[in-house]
């Protein structure tokens, strides 16, 4: 199967962009991920860092990655049922190991589980339009569930939103100390994540994957439309996404991140705007690809996209080492954490470029493919990471 270099580039952007979200999850308590007022009103720099990332990155790169994942499922349909089931099952198992033994912010398990459902829907819905519309509907159901959660919530914040001193000390202890205590806490976090996946996030994830499958079928994610179309679409989607989200960001600040309104209801503008903005980012890449293709950094980012799994887990390795083994946890504010991101990106870029000079696939991509072939009962290729 011939690679689409533009899609590799967009996937690379998504993997690198996800770190903009995850860096606060690595360096700050879990409550800080959505609540910048987790220990009182944030400083000016903390607020503007949070607001900028909320508008440009939060949920957007995850949604973009989910759309590309669905596009990948569409492309892999000719491999057959057994191949896809084996591939996604191994991804879920790898995600489970990652979530329990390395970092509680894992997304691989979610993608594996929902992928096992979504690929059948992508295969069985004959009409591209119906597939796209069904994906949009599922995504909107996930957003609507947030509204339902807001209605049934008692409005009183718990320790996951406003942690006490003891909660913060204990979280710092088990993350830094590691061992069985950390495993137990990650298992507890995993159970909560799976409940959220089944009740709310799974709808959005499945919807994004189906939209991705439909856009791949239509040729939109193959770059088969005109540059003028992509340019016009990109600016339109970005404008609409901003119009939806900026009032939500303002209201969160105005209400001082009050749990009653912010924990669920005011997350909905971001979630509604995220797929529009994610598609705008992809459209920009197609629209300006002739210019982007001339840049050396474009090749490096494409290499990151070819090794997406390896690079995602490499980010975990680097960040858990920095924050949990070198005691950087809770030592940096949001702006300082953001300054760490380019260093991790540099490692992703350099490692990917050097590795792909000698091998056709990343090391974990090779392992994943090897295990998939074994589980699917297909002969294993005898090549170096190829």
């Amino acid at each position: 199967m011939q690679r689409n270099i533009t899609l590799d580039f967009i996937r690379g952007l998504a993997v690198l962009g996800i770190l903009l979200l995850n860096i606060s999850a690595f360096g700050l308590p879990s409550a800080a991920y959505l609540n910048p007022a987790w220990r009182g009103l944030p400083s000016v720099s903390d607020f503007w860092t949070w607001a900028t990332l909320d508008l440009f990155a939060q949920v957007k790169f995850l949604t973009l990655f989910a759309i590309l994942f669905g596009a990948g499922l569409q492309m892999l349909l000719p491999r057959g049922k057994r191949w896809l089931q084996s591939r996604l099952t191994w991804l879920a198992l790898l995600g489970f190991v990652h979530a329990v033994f390395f970092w509680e912010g894992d997304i691989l398990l979610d993608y594996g589980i929902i992928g096992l459902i979504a690929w059948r829907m992508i295969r069985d819905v004959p009409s591209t339009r119906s597939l796209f519309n069904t994906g949009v509907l599922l995504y909107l159901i996930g957003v609507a569930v947030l509204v339902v959660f807001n209605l049934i919530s008692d409005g009183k914040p718990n320790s996951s939103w406003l942690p006490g001193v003891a909660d913060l000390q204990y979280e710092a202890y088990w993350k830094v100390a590691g061992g069985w205590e950390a495993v137990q806490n990650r298992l507890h976090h995993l159970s909560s994540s799976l409940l959220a996946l089944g009740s709310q996030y799974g709808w959005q994830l499945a919807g994004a994957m189906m939209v991705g499958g439909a856009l791949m079928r239509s040729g939109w994610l193959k770059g088969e439309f005109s540059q003028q179309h992509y340019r016009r679409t990109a600016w339109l989607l970005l404008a609409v996404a901003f119009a939806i989200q900026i009032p939500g960001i303002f209201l969160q600040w105005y209400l001082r991140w009050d749990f009653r309104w912010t924990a669920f209801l005011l997350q909905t503008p971001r979630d509604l705007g995220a797929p529009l903005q994610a598609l705008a980012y992809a459209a920009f890449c197609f629209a300006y690809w002739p210019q982007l293709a001339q840049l050396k950094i474009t090749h490096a980012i494409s290499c990151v996209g070819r090794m997406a799994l390896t690079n995602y887990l490499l980010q975990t390795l680097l960040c858990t080492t920095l924050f949990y083994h070198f005691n950087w946890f809770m030592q940096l504010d949001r702006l300082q954490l953001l300054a760490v991101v380019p260093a991790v990106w540099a490692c992703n870029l350099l490692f990917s470029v050097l590795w792909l000079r000698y091998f056709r696939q990343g090391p974990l991509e090779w392992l994943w493919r090897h295990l998939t072939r074994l589980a699917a009962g297909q002969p294993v290729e005898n090549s170096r990471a190829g």
Side-chain angles (χ1 to χ4, degrees), residues 19 23 318-319 322-323 328 332 334-346:
L19 184 61
I23 196 66
L318 293 172
C319 290
L322 287 174
F323 292 106
W328 285 17
L332 306 176
R334 288 179 187 272
L335 187 58
Q336 292 168 331
L337 286 171
L338 203 57
V340 176
V341 170
V344 180
W345 282 350

Side-chain angles (χ1 to χ4, degrees), residues 44-281:
V44 173
S45 68
D46 252 23
F47 166 74
W48 283 109
T49 304
W50 167 81
T52 302
L53 291 177
D54 200 79
L55 181 60
F56 288 98
Q58 185 73 22
V59 184
K60 286 75 176 177
F61 289 108
L62 281 172
T63 305
L64 178 58
F65 198 81
I67 290 169
L68 295 175
F69 193 88
L73 292 178
Q74 171 66 37
M75 293 171 67
L76 289 171
L77 286 179
R79 297 275 189 177
K81 173 181 177 181
R82 195 168 178 182
W83 171 277
L84 276 164
Q85 287 181 332
S86 300
R87 182 176 177 83
L88 293 166
T89 300
W90 276 114
L91 182 65
L93 290 172
L94 180 59
F96 177 80
V97 172
H98 181 230
V100 173
F101 297 102
F102 294 93
W103 185 53
E104 65 279 3
D106 171 77
I107 61 171
L108 303 179
L109 179 58
D110 292 352
Y111 278 67
I113 293 172
I114 299 301
L116 283 166
I117 300 169
W119 83 264
R120 290 179 172 83
M121 301 172 76
I122 292 171
R123 179 195 63 184
D124 294 340
V125 177
S127 165
T128 300
R129 182 182 293 274
S130 296
L131 181 62
F132 182 87
N133 291 341
T134 303
V136 171
L137 177 61
L138 291 181
Y139 190 93
L140 290 175
I141 289 174
V143 176
V145 172
L146 286 174
V147 179
V148 174
F149 284 170
N150 181 78
L151 293 174
I152 64 178
S153 169
D154 61 9
K156 298 177 181 178
N158 53 31
S159 60
S160 65
W161 188 260
L162 284 177
V165 174
D167 298 313
L168 295 174
Q169 289 176 340
Y170 179 62
E171 185 172 354
Y173 163 72
W174 68 258
K175 284 186 174 180
V176 173
W180 179 242
E181 193 81 16
V183 169
Q184 288 181 305
N185 277 277
R186 292 193 195 104
L187 283 169
H188 176 73
H189 188 280
L190 179 60
S191 65
S192 299
S193 297
L194 290 175
L195 286 173
L197 182 70
S199 60
Q200 190 269 326
Y201 181 56
W203 294 96
Q204 291 180 233
L205 191 55
M209 289 181 185
M210 293 181 70
V211 166
L215 292 176
M216 177 56 70
R217 270 194 207 175
S218 71
W220 196 87
L221 279 175
K222 297 178 183 178
E224 294 180 356
F225 290 69
S226 69
Q227 289 183 9
Q228 182 182 5
H229 163 84
Y230 287 114
R231 199 171 293 125
R232 184 174 59 248
T233 300
W235 286 111
L236 177 62
L237 290 176
L238 191 65
V240 174
F242 279 6
I244 293 171
Q245 294 173 90
I246 289 174
I249 294 172
F250 171 78
L251 286 172
Q252 289 188 68
W253 167 80
Y254 181 77
L255 295 169
R256 301 297 188 264
W257 295 276
D258 180 71
F259 179 85
R260 175 69 181 86
W261 304 105
T262 307
F264 299 112
L265 187 61
L266 288 178
Q267 305 300 319
T268 58
R270 181 199 303 119
D271 284 16
L272 284 172
L276 304 179
Q277 198 163 331
L279 290 175
Y281 289 163

Side-chain angles (χ1 to χ4, degrees), residues 279-328:
L279 290 175
Y281 289 163
F284 275 123
C285 294
F286 285 114
Y288 297 100
W289 184 248
Q291 294 83 5
L292 289 170
Q294 305 302 315
L295 304 176
K296 291 184 178 180
I297 190 65
T298 299
H299 169 69
I301 294 174
S302 298
C303 290
V304 172
R306 288 178 60 185
M307 294 172 50
L309 178 61
T310 296
N311 278 297
Y312 174 72
L313 295 176
L314 178 60
Q315 290 175 359
T316 294
L317 176 64
L318 293 172
C319 290
T320 53
T321 299
L322 287 174
F323 292 106
Y324 306 152
H325 299 292
F326 286 92
N327 295 323
W328 285 17

Side-chain angles (χ1 to χ4, degrees), residues 16 80 279 349:
L16 296 175
L279 290 175
L349 293 164

